[in-house]
Amino acid sequence: MSVEWLIPAMLTIVTAATPLVFAAVGETVVEKAGVLNLGVEGMMIIGAIAAFAMAVTTGSEVLAIFSGAIAGMLMAFIFGVLCVYLQSNQVATGLALTIFGIGLSALIGHSYVGNTFVGLAKLDIPGISDIPIVGPLVFGHDALVYFSILSVASVAWFLKKTRGGLLVRAVGENHDAAHAIGYSVTLIRMGAILFGGAMAGIGGAYLSIAYTPLWVENMTAGRGWIALALVVFASWKPWRAFFGAYLFGGITIIQLYAQGMGVEVSAQFLSMLPYLATILVLVIISRDSAKSLLNAPACLGKNYHSSG
Amino acid sequence: MHLKAKLGVTVAAAILALGFANVAQAQMKVGFVYVGPIGDHGWNYQHDQGRLALEKALGSKVSTTYVEKVAENADATRVITKLASSGHDLIFTTSFGYMNPTNKVAKRFPKATFEHATGYKRLSPNVATYSARFYEGRYVVGKIVGKMTKTNTIGYVASFPIPEVIRGINATYLSAKSVNPKVKIKVVWVSTWYDPGKEADAAKTLIDQGADVIMQHTDSPAPLQVAEKRGVYAVGQASDMTNFGKKAHLTAIVNNWAPYYVARTKAVMNGNWKQQDTWHGFKEGMVKMAPYNSVIPASVVKLAEDTRKGIISGSIHPFAGEIKDQSGKVRIPAGKKADDGLMAGMNFYVQGIDGTIPK
């Protein structure tokens, strides 16, 4: 059998993985700062409609991406005010944010159903993008794909090598200690939450302006939850989350291709693999307490109040 | 800015709908339960169009309530119960997975009337079932796609391996093959009714593997849009999806529930509602074809229209024998037509289709 299908399959995997990469990397930073935001799905879908509406209205892709990011940040801001300042329960607030986002996006998007948009253009460097195999695989994507890789690299570098990253981690590991030595837990957490919102918003924007350039209700279809699962699967490491996203995207796409070629696969089983893998990782890291201490932020999900 | 006003009105409407607000008792209350968002531009959208047509036809005599995105599990039982207990006389539950919840609730509310779409269980006298003969539409489409494909490969994005979907694949294939003996059908199962991204990926996969006409049995317009982008043809699902791909959209099989919803609501009003199992097609207007794309040659449009008229008059039946399954076993003997029982439980691919049905 020829392997010609491999190149288009890989291109499809990239588009399937990119929204997950954005959302997962954003959430990694949020969780590193000790905040569990289950509202990723809600922030993504708001990002998707904001970007699509902007793209249809102005025709500008750059504005569309920005508006997706800002919309995601606004959603995250609501979450931040509630959890960081008003001390509400993070799990409940995050869930509410998701439900709110799906509903609000349907409301805003009502008049955009049926509109179309050409979609984000693929990079096309004359001569280079035409090189067989390497050309399309390395130089044949849209700008957001490269941006997603860049953002993973930046986040990994930021968390590991910079003072700012250290602060984020400190707040996530022990907020009392971080406070005691004079850092503002609330401000740092707010920053992380807003960053997570912007990234989720861009992930959503990728869906509505590049992946499937259209608006239909609930179009994220659970990708926010997969992104959340990926963060745990990756044990809070940006590059692992990146590879996880490609792995999950890859499994989905490869099984579609396999079906088309008449190979018998269980579509239902493969659909549940990401979640299964996450449960497995959770079991492994909770088995070994030393290992989990290395990875999971110790203050994850705990609210902080300076008086208490 | 009028967008704000619109938002306000919609919010108010949503709160009303969600809160099952009580209205004047003289009106008959009709409830609808949808599995997905009404903005899907497919299955749920068409049911909601039926609801709106009902409101228009009967005016102040009815008030309708709808609840969208209701999962096919205990949520459905809760929502249907809530509708029944808040005085809805007639409740349409519009997805296959609501079969058991509908029957369960119907037993507890013998005074209310229930209509379940695409199911087969009518466990108490106040439950009726209804569905449309979509396979008739698929059979008309089959003639078109069989003629339009140049690679002789039809790509089919399928949801779940239930008889409804398998019947559609078989009808398409038999019809396409009757006009193009070389035609092949490639089926990819996505295990979802609605996930635009995954549906688009499936369409890309099929196009990469040589399909130049994409058909779908999922609800979003994403596969059609992929077809438009890649310069191949596609057929819309449930609604006219021309807007999502003007060049690609050959036609669509349109679900038209309005006449049925009006008729059944009137029957309840007049007290002559009876339990029944309705399966309507082109003849009764429950299935319609969207306008044919101008790229289809006139001769092919005529072929499609003749097929449609033949189905209405009864001279053509999509499952007329002899039809064998993949193993070569005769399922419908020569000279016979498949009866509704066989079609409702169809769980085999006809001979000539490659691949196996997932279990």
Side-chain angles (χ1 to χ4, degrees):
Chain A
M1 189 173 280
S2 86
V3 289
E4 278 169 20
W5 62 274
L6 262 174
I7 304 291
M10 282 163 148
L11 292 177
T12 311
I13 291 171
V14 173
T15 50
T18 301
L20 298 176
V21 171
F22 279 119
V25 163
E27 180 68 11
T28 302
V29 175
V30 180
E31 293 192 12
K32 273 286 182 194
V35 180
L36 180 66
N37 186 353
L38 295 181
V40 178
E41 179 91 0
M43 299 188 296
M44 277 182 93
I45 192 92
I46 288 289
I49 181 59
F52 187 74
M54 184 60 86
V56 168
T57 323
T58 65
S60 160
E61 291 155 353
V62 177
L63 279 179
I65 295 163
F66 270 108
S67 98
I70 289 165
M73 272 170 94
L74 283 175
M75 289 289 283
F77 182 73
I78 299 173
F79 175 86
V81 168
L82 289 173
C83 290
V84 176
Y85 290 104
L86 301 178
Q87 308 287 316
S88 70
N89 178 294
Q90 294 180 9
V91 171
T93 312
L95 286 172
L97 193 70
T98 288
I99 300 167
F100 171 62
I102 292 173
L104 181 66
S105 65
L107 203 62
I108 301 169
H110 198 265
S111 54
Y112 289 97
V113 173
N115 273 307
T116 49
F117 169 66
V118 284
L120 210 55
K122 303 267 183 217
L123 201 66
D124 190 17
I125 309 165
I128 298 178
S129 295
D130 302 327
I131 304 169
I133 303 174
V134 180
L137 277 188
V138 182
F139 302 104
H141 307 291
D142 51 69
L144 275 179
V145 171
Y146 301 103
F147 182 63
S148 74
I149 299 169
L150 188 72
S151 60
V152 175
S154 325
V155 165
W157 171 78
F158 171 79
L159 284 176
K160 210 169 175 183
K161 303 274 184 190
T162 67
R163 191 176 172 78
L166 194 65
L167 286 179
V168 167
R169 284 189 289 146
V171 161
E173 292 298 341
N174 190 334
H175 47 217
D176 293 315
H179 177 73
I181 53 171
Y183 291 109
S184 169
V185 175
T186 46
L187 275 187
I188 294 169
R189 285 201 170 156
M190 259 330 255
I193 291 169
L194 290 180
F195 176 77
M199 294 300 273
I202 297 175
Y206 189 79
L207 282 174
S208 67
I209 66 171
Y211 194 0
T212 49
L214 55 85
W215 168 254
V216 278
E217 274 181 41
N218 210 4
M219 67 182 296
T220 43
R223 283 181 180 73
W225 297 109
I226 296 193
L228 271 165
L230 272 171
V231 175
V232 180
F233 173 80
S235 50
W236 297 271
K237 290 194 165 45
W239 278 114
R240 277 198 213 164
F242 176 81
F243 288 114
Y246 274 75
L247 186 69
F248 289 174
I251 290 170
T252 322
I253 305 305
I254 294 291
Q255 65 102 352
L256 294 176
Y257 275 81
Q259 282 193 47
M261 289 188 296
V263 182
E264 233 177 291
V265 285
S266 166
Q268 295 92 330
F269 176 74
L270 288 165
S271 308
M272 72 181 195
L273 260 189
Y275 303 101
L276 213 59
T278 305
I279 293 170
L280 202 71
V281 170
L282 275 175
V283 169
I284 292 169
I285 62 175
S286 60
R287 213 189 86 245
D288 187 343
S289 58
K291 222 179 225 173
S292 78
L293 282 179
L294 282 177
N295 295 317
C299 286
L300 183 58
K302 290 181 194 155
N303 278 346
Y304 177 74
H305 192 260
S306 55
S307 65
Chain B
M1 200 174 147
H2 76 282
L3 180 70
K4 256 188 193 158
K6 200 171 162 189
L7 275 179
V9 172
T10 330
V11 169
I15 291 167
L16 277 175
L18 284 171
F20 306 102
N22 276 314
V23 259
Q25 282 301 314
Q27 282 181 326
M28 180 174 147
K29 287 169 80 175
V30 185
F32 291 81
V33 186
Y34 306 137
V35 69
I38 54 173
D40 66 355
H41 223 75
W43 178 261
N44 299 294
Y45 175 80
Q46 286 304 125
H47 280 289
D48 202 57
Q49 291 296 307
R51 180 186 68 86
L52 293 172
L54 172 67
E55 280 194 335
K56 210 173 171 190
L58 298 181
S60 60
K61 282 193 271 179
V62 289
S63 79
T64 66
T65 305
Y66 70 89
V67 187
E68 56 179 341
K69 288 188 273 190
V70 178
E72 294 172 318
N73 51 30
D75 277 359
T77 314
R78 271 193 287 278
V79 169
I80 302 166
T81 306
K82 179 80 185 163
L83 286 170
S85 63
S86 58
H88 288 80
D89 310 284
L90 174 60
I91 297 163
F92 291 97
T93 57
T94 63
S95 185
F96 180 77
Y98 298 152
M99 182 158 68
N100 292 330
T102 304
N103 279 286
K104 210 159 115 190
V105 179
K107 207 166 271 169
R108 287 176 45 209
F109 292 92
K111 280 187 190 152
T113 319
F114 298 82
E115 293 262 357
H116 177 232
T118 69
Y120 54 83
K121 280 190 194 164
R122 292 169 295 279
L123 301 182
S124 38
N126 57 336
V127 181
T129 49
Y130 64 102
S131 186
R133 297 180 186 272
F134 304 116
Y135 67 91
E136 294 183 353
R138 304 257 177 217
Y139 198 76
V140 170
V141 167
K143 303 277 178 194
I144 301 172
V145 299
K147 286 281 188 193
M148 295 303 284
T149 178
K150 293 202 173 65
T151 59
N152 296 324
T153 310
I154 314 290
Y156 206 106
V157 181
S159 48
F160 295 100
I162 58 171
E164 165 77 41
V165 177
I166 294 167
R167 197 164 56 233
I169 297 168
N170 283 338
T172 306
Y173 177 75
L174 288 170
S175 171
K177 179 140 181 146
S178 71
V179 294
N180 178 355
K182 279 192 241 158
V183 86
K184 288 270 169 210
I185 193 160
K186 258 186 201 294
V187 183
V188 165
W189 300 91
V190 290
S191 302
T192 176
W193 288 112
Y194 184 76
D195 178 341
K198 206 167 175 191
E199 293 172 56
D201 290 340
K204 285 180 202 165
T205 304
L206 289 161
I207 296 167
D208 288 340
Q209 296 184 351
D212 65 349
V213 183
I214 297 294
M215 289 185 64
Q216 62 177 103
H217 204 138
T218 50
D219 294 343
S220 93
L224 178 72
Q225 204 182 28
V226 169
E228 177 87 359
K229 205 168 182 181
R230 296 278 188 100
V232 302
Y233 295 122
V235 177
Q237 166 80 358
S239 314
D240 185 342
M241 294 182 173
T242 311
N243 265 346
F244 294 95
K246 290 193 170 55
K247 281 183 232 149
H249 190 272
L250 288 175
T251 181
I253 303 159
V254 177
N255 311 350
N256 179 27
W257 305 105
Y260 184 77
Y261 288 165
V262 174
R264 297 302 273 172
T265 305
K266 278 186 180 161
V268 172
M269 276 177 180
N270 304 333
N272 55 9
W273 184 94
K274 273 198 200 75
Q275 178 179 63
Q276 62 186 40
D277 178 27
T278 305
W279 208 9
H280 284 174
F282 280 129
K283 200 169 149 189
E284 300 85 357
M286 200 179 262
V287 179
K288 282 181 166 176
M289 298 306 297
Y292 298 108
N293 192 321
S294 58
V295 295
I296 308 174
S299 61
V300 179
V301 170
K302 185 175 180 300
L303 179 68
E305 276 300 290
D306 288 348
T307 308
R308 193 176 67 85
K309 285 172 194 152
I311 291 172
I312 292 174
S313 74
S315 64
I316 294 175
H317 191 286
F319 293 101
E322 186 190 66
I323 292 174
K324 291 178 183 164
D325 66 16
Q326 283 178 309
S327 69
K329 191 174 139 201
V330 176
R331 293 295 189 123
I332 301 152
K336 287 258 170 74
K337 290 168 185 166
D339 58 26
D340 284 358
L342 188 143
M343 284 194 291
M346 195 172 276
N347 59 357
F348 60 90
Y349 276 155
V350 296
Q351 196 171 44
I353 297 181
D354 296 328
T356 49
I357 299 169
K359 303 232 159 49

